[in-house]
Every structure is written in C-alpha cells, then in structure tokens.
C-alpha cells in the first residue's frame, strides 16, 4: 500500500557499506522501520542520507507491505526545516538525548496522532527558543501523558512521590519513594507550559536529581527501558 504521511526521524543505523535502516514515527502508520538501499554512496538519488538526522520532520511517500518486515521509502523531503536544532551545540546534544529516549519508549506500530503532534510541536518550540535549560525535564514529564503513566496529581499536596505507583503520599512505602527539595521542584513542572517551566529555578544538583528520578520512573513503567548513553554528555552541558 502506498502511503503519504508526515514523519519524525527517531533513529538511523548503518547497514553494510551503503545502506541505512531508519525508524520513523509516522503520523498515519505509527512507528515504522525502512531500508534505504545504497543511500550512503548515492550522490544523485532523490533521497539523501542527510534527511535522516535525528528528530527531522519529514514528508514521505512509502510502500507499506504490513508484513512485519522493513518497508521502503519512495520519496522524502523536509516537512519543516529547523533553524538551529542540528547546528547549535547544546540543542544538538539534546537532540541525541531525546532521540535515545524515544527509541527506548516508542515501539509499537499503533497510530498515536496526539503523540506525533506533541513531538512535532515541542521540537519546533525547541528550535525557536534559546532559554531551554529545563527543556529535557519538562519534555520527559509531558511525554508520560502520551505513554500512559503521567503522575496522579490528586494528592499533590503530600510530600512523598511514589515512583512505583506514580502518586503522591504522606510517607514512604517502598524503595522507590522520594521526597525533599527535588520533589518540591518536580511539582512545579506539573501542569505548566514549556514557557512557564523554563522559568523554574533550581540548582545543578536538583536538576540532576529530578532527571535521574524521571529516568527511574520511566524504567519502572516501561518494560526494557534503558538510560540513554548520552546522559553523561547532557549532564556535562547543563552543569
């Protein structure tokens, strides 16, 4: 079946000397993997390897056989060009971190247009803003809404966050309960916009604590989730 859809590049992997295998989150068909034969050696082909940088927004025409095998892309072009996402050092480091997160969290072929719209909107926001120190924290928290484990905020006045159950409570009940200043700051992110969340003040230590807490939270609620290898680089940059 020939489909035309917008898509977000999640991951690309070199295959052999000249081929690429790319994972795209498509708006109409969910997560799909494609084999791009000879793309790394072709200089005149319609599809260029540079199109498949992480998080690039594309418009593609593809042949979906829906047999669980690698699909084929017939045509691809930039949907909305980024101005700074792949050229600014801080933003490009964020891009690799976010693409690793998405590679570990989006695994189903189910269509999720709300998730697609969230990712498209937030990447364009990141591309056009400079005050982005809290972006990765806000991004991860809001991402949980689309993955089905956003924290229960009905008892947000309580001081302990139970990561295992995703709720707030008044005392610790397991090893995955956290409290203290990092939880107080974490609460400030819940229900805020990206613009508002960038104004939240915190120390380097607290930012790292919240980020590590969120990654544990993802591990608890997503089978097979692993902390991104780019985490150490991200910590160095935002420190």
């Amino acid at each position: 079946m020939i489909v035309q859809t917008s898509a977000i590049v999640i991951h690309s992997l070199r295959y052999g000397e000249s081929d690429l295998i790319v994972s795209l989150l498509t708006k109409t068909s969910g997560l799909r993997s494609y084999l791009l034969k000879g793309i790394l050696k072709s200089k005149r082909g319609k599809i260029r390897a540079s199109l498949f940088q992480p998080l690039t927004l594309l418009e593609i025409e593809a042949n979906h056989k829906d047999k669980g095998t690698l699909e084929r892309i017939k045509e691809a072009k930039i949907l909305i060009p980024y101005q700074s996402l792949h050229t600014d050092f801080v933003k490009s480091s964020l891009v690799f971190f976010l693409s690793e997160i998405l590679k570990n969290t989006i695994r189903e072929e189910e269509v999720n247009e709300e998730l697609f719209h969230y990712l498209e909107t937030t990447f364009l926001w990141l591309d056009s803003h400079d005050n982005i120190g809290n972006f990765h924290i806000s991004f991860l928290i809001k991402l949980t809404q689309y993955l089905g484990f956003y924290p229960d905020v009905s008892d947000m006045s309580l001081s302990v966050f139970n990561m295992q159950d995703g709720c707030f409570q008044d005392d610790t009940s397991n090893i995955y309960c956290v409290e203290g200043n990092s939880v107080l700051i974490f609460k400030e992110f819940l229900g805020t916009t990206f613009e508002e969340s960038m104004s939240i003040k915190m120390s380097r230590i607290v930012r790292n604590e919240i980020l590590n807490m969120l990654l544990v939270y993802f591990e608890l609620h997503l089978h097979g989730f692993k902390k991104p290898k780019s985490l150490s680089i991200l910590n160095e940059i935002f420190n």
Side-chain angles (χ1 to χ4, degrees):
M1 178 176 65
I2 302 299
V3 299
Q4 291 183 320
T5 180
S6 48
I8 300 171
V9 179
I10 302 299
H11 178 69
S12 62
L13 175 69
R14 184 171 186 145
Y15 182 70
E17 292 187 1
S18 59
D19 302 342
L20 271 184
I21 295 175
V22 297
S23 296
L24 307 183
L25 179 65
T26 70
K27 186 175 183 178
T28 61
S29 305
L31 185 69
R32 295 292 178 126
S33 293
Y34 301 88
L35 176 62
L36 302 172
K37 293 185 69 65
I39 191 172
L40 298 178
K41 287 190 175 181
S42 174
K43 296 181 179 180
R44 296 184 178 180
K46 293 189 295 183
I47 303 177
R48 293 170 285 113
S50 59
L51 291 172
F52 299 95
Q53 295 183 74
L55 309 190
T56 299
L57 303 175
L58 298 175
E59 185 74 33
I60 66 168
E61 181 178 311
N63 185 9
H64 288 178
K65 295 185 177 180
D66 297 321
K67 295 183 178 180
T69 56
L70 294 172
E71 311 286 15
R72 298 298 176 95
I73 294 177
K74 295 168 64 69
E75 294 185 14
K77 63 181 180 180
I78 297 290
L79 177 63
I80 305 175
Y82 291 131
Q83 302 303 312
S84 63
L85 212 60
H86 292 131
T87 55
D88 179 275
F89 175 70
V90 174
K91 290 183 181 181
S92 62
S93 299
L94 265 175
V95 164
F96 284 108
F97 174 78
L98 298 177
S99 64
E100 272 196 89
I101 289 288
L102 296 174
K103 178 175 175 284
N104 284 332
T105 55
I106 305 174
R107 297 173 182 169
E108 302 297 329
E109 290 187 358
E110 295 178 6
V111 177
N112 189 336
E113 287 195 19
E114 289 186 352
L115 172 61
F116 185 92
H117 179 70
Y118 167 70
L119 297 177
E120 181 182 52
T121 302
T122 52
F123 297 152
L124 290 172
W125 188 96
L126 177 61
D127 183 56
S128 62
H129 288 75
D130 295 322
N131 180 18
I132 58 171
N134 294 336
F135 180 89
H136 52 307
I137 303 294
S138 190
F139 177 87
L140 290 175
I141 292 172
K142 294 181 185 300
L143 181 60
T144 64
Q145 289 181 284
Y146 303 93
L147 299 177
F149 55 96
Y150 188 76
D152 181 352
V153 297
S154 58
D155 293 315
M156 204 165 69
S157 61
L158 302 179
S159 61
V160 176
F161 180 54
N162 183 337
M163 292 188 289
Q164 190 171 57
D165 296 333
C167 64
F168 293 92
Q169 54 195 48
D170 55 9
D171 58 7
T172 58
S173 57
N174 59 56
I175 61 172
Y176 297 111
C177 289
V178 290
E179 57 186 328
N181 193 40
S182 59
V183 173
L184 290 174
I185 301 296
F186 171 65
K187 290 179 182 180
E188 293 187 40
F189 282 90
L190 301 176
T192 62
T193 64
F194 270 97
E195 288 82 356
E196 293 167 341
S197 68
M198 295 308 122
S199 300
I200 296 173
K201 304 297 183 183
M202 72 185 91
S203 67
R204 170 184 58 83
I205 294 174
V206 169
R207 181 179 283 110
N208 286 346
E209 286 177 350
I210 294 176
L211 178 57
N212 287 326
M213 180 184 77
L214 284 168
L215 293 176
V216 172
Y217 189 51
F218 272 66
E219 285 182 294
L220 288 170
H221 294 272
L222 291 173
H223 178 71
F225 179 84
K226 297 179 181 179
K227 290 183 179 179
K229 296 178 181 178
S230 56
L231 176 61
S232 58
I233 298 174
L234 193 73
N235 283 336
E236 286 182 20
I237 290 172
F238 283 97
N239 285 348

